[in-house]
Amino acid sequence: MIIDTSQVQDINSFSRLEFLKEVYGILWVLVPILTTVLGITIGVLVIVWLEREISAGIQQRIGPEYAGPLGVLQALADGTKLLFKENLLPSRGDTRLFSIGPSIAVISILLSYSVIPFGYRLVLADLHIGVFLWIAISSVAPIGLLMSGYGSNNKYSFLGGLRAAAQSISYEIPLTLCVLSISLLSNSSSTVDIVEAQSKYGFWGWNLWRQPIGFVIFLISSLAECERLPFDLPEAEEELVAGYQTEYSGIKFGLFYVASYLNLLVSSLFVTVLYLGGWDISIPYIFGYELFEINKAYEVFGMTISIFITLAKTYLFLFISIATRWTLPRLRIDQLLNLGWKFLLPISLGNLLLTTSFQLFSL
């Protein structure tokens, strides 16, 4: 049997070409994911620096100034230090739960970024249940905190984990009812559809004006979800040493702070998407059509503008959250639960009923 060497070479080159196409396809899928993760990491570093600078300004003291220009590298230096510190394990604790807890808290929050539209046509997954997927995924994070508190075999850590679970349950329900009201107004649960529904009417079409009660409830509930002052009961230093973080050290201790700032950033992004029009900044009869034409003519420039607008709105809410932390005192646990169950839940339910009534009458 005679084998034609040219045919063998053609087959080998074809197989190499197919292999390169598969590698290229895998890389093309990973590029947007890695870009998003890199952007989120930079965003968290910026939030840490902003919090230190804003708190220093509020307390009339000097903030970070030595690590990099204006102290911008201080958060990176702290993370590097935690990375090389020794990881200690409690001798009588459950080491598996102790180790898995911080990872669950971080991964569950990172998955929420997949449904956030960062700009015009910039979203990893435009799902029909986008906002409810975020609520479902964010409900997993307190399980990681509860596992951490239980695995530490420490009564202060366990109490901190229980408080985190109770706080999450108390404020998830008003948060979900506010999101449901927005979905009814927009006739969709997709984050992209919600932004586009607001952009039809320009600045006055933002849900901030159509749902002011829901906006206030969402604001309070999101702060409680992020365990930010005045709602940081799970890690109250005066009562629980540091709550579920008490027995942790090294990078595992740092993961809790990463999860906290990731949660704060994702909450700010959802406030922007649900109530502040997302990437839209069009003012009726003035800039609306011009911005639309820019998006059509210069797509890259339009995407850059939309990302900038989204981040500007997000960091405005972040400033409010940071200023609130360094202004208001901490609530007691009974006050926190009463606020969630006796005030926010009935008001959010009434807001949902009003929204449903208006939608039915408008049909």
Side-chain angles (χ1 to χ4, degrees):
M1 181 178 180
I2 301 174
I3 300 175
D4 190 356
T5 56
S6 62
Q7 291 181 355
V8 174
Q9 290 176 355
D10 291 340
I11 293 172
N12 290 335
S13 62
F14 179 75
S15 61
R16 283 197 299 268
L17 183 62
E18 289 297 319
F19 175 74
L20 290 175
K21 283 184 178 180
E22 290 180 2
V23 173
Y24 177 76
I26 295 172
L27 291 176
W28 187 247
V29 171
L30 291 177
V31 163
I33 298 175
L34 294 176
T35 304
T36 305
V37 171
L38 179 62
I40 292 169
T41 305
I42 296 173
V44 168
L45 294 176
V46 172
I47 293 172
V48 175
W49 177 78
L50 276 177
E51 174 140 41
R52 288 174 167 173
E53 287 290 335
I54 293 170
S55 63
I58 291 175
Q59 297 176 344
Q60 295 183 349
R61 57 180 175 80
I62 299 174
E65 58 177 348
Y66 296 110
L70 300 176
V72 294
L73 299 179
Q74 186 62 54
L76 191 61
D78 293 340
T80 306
K81 179 182 70 174
L82 287 173
L83 188 62
F84 290 101
K85 276 187 173 290
E86 182 181 4
N87 279 316
L88 301 177
L89 298 175
S91 58
R92 297 184 179 180
D94 191 322
T95 56
R96 288 179 298 176
L97 294 180
F98 186 84
S99 302
I100 294 173
S103 303
I104 291 178
V106 173
I107 293 172
S108 61
I109 297 170
L110 274 176
L111 290 174
S112 304
Y113 286 89
S114 60
V115 296
I116 296 177
F118 291 93
Y120 182 68
R121 297 180 183 174
L122 287 175
V123 59
L124 285 178
D126 182 16
L127 304 177
H128 295 295
I129 55 168
V131 286
F132 292 106
L133 179 67
W134 164 57
I135 291 173
I137 292 173
S138 63
S139 302
V140 178
I143 297 176
L145 304 183
L146 188 58
M147 290 169 61
S148 302
Y150 181 79
S152 299
N153 194 25
N154 181 318
K155 61 181 180 180
Y156 296 110
S157 301
F158 188 49
L159 282 173
L162 290 176
R163 280 188 176 186
Q167 183 169 323
S168 176
I169 294 170
S170 301
Y171 286 88
E172 277 282 349
I173 301 174
L175 195 73
T176 306
L177 293 175
C178 292
V179 172
L180 187 56
S181 300
I182 296 296
S183 298
L184 285 173
L185 278 178
S186 307
N187 294 319
S188 175
S189 297
S190 167
T191 51
V192 175
D193 292 344
I194 290 172
V195 174
E196 290 179 348
Q198 297 176 76
S199 62
K200 291 179 182 178
Y201 308 101
F203 175 72
W204 299 111
W206 291 0
N207 290 327
L208 171 64
W209 314 119
R210 298 196 288 173
Q211 288 278 306
I213 299 174
F215 174 72
V216 175
I217 295 172
F218 192 93
L219 201 70
I220 297 172
S221 300
S222 60
L223 284 178
E225 278 291 304
C226 299
E227 298 172 7
R228 302 276 299 179
L229 269 167
F231 305 107
D232 65 332
L233 272 301
E235 50 187 274
E237 304 91 0
E238 295 87 351
E239 306 166 33
L240 303 179
V241 186
Y244 50 81
Q245 308 174 27
T246 303
E247 300 293 337
Y248 281 88
S249 62
I251 191 60
K252 293 177 183 175
F253 180 78
L255 283 177
F256 283 118
Y257 281 93
V258 171
S260 174
Y261 283 107
L262 284 173
N263 204 4
L264 181 61
L265 180 58
V266 77
S267 299
S268 304
L269 284 165
F270 270 103
V271 169
T272 301
V273 168
L274 297 178
Y275 290 97
L276 302 181
W279 65 79
D280 178 67
I281 199 174
S282 57
I283 299 175
Y285 313 113
I286 301 177
F287 299 116
Y289 298 105
E290 294 179 5
L291 189 60
F292 183 72
E293 291 298 327
I294 286 175
N295 285 335
K296 291 176 69 175
Y298 307 102
E299 190 170 350
V300 176
F301 181 70
M303 285 184 180
T304 307
I305 291 291
S306 62
I307 293 173
F308 176 77
I309 293 169
T310 303
L311 293 180
K313 295 176 182 178
T314 300
Y315 278 93
L316 173 64
F317 175 76
L318 284 169
F319 174 79
I320 296 173
S321 303
I322 293 171
T324 302
R325 174 180 180 179
W326 299 98
T327 305
L328 300 179
R330 179 183 295 122
L331 297 179
R332 296 196 313 266
I333 185 65
D334 60 317
Q335 293 173 334
L336 179 136
L337 296 177
N338 285 337
L339 178 65
W341 289 105
K342 295 183 179 180
F343 291 94
L344 296 186
L345 179 58
I347 294 172
S348 59
L349 187 58
N351 180 62
L352 176 61
L353 292 176
L354 282 175
T355 305
T356 307
S357 302
F358 281 125
Q359 288 295 101
L360 288 175
F361 286 131
S362 63
L363 294 177

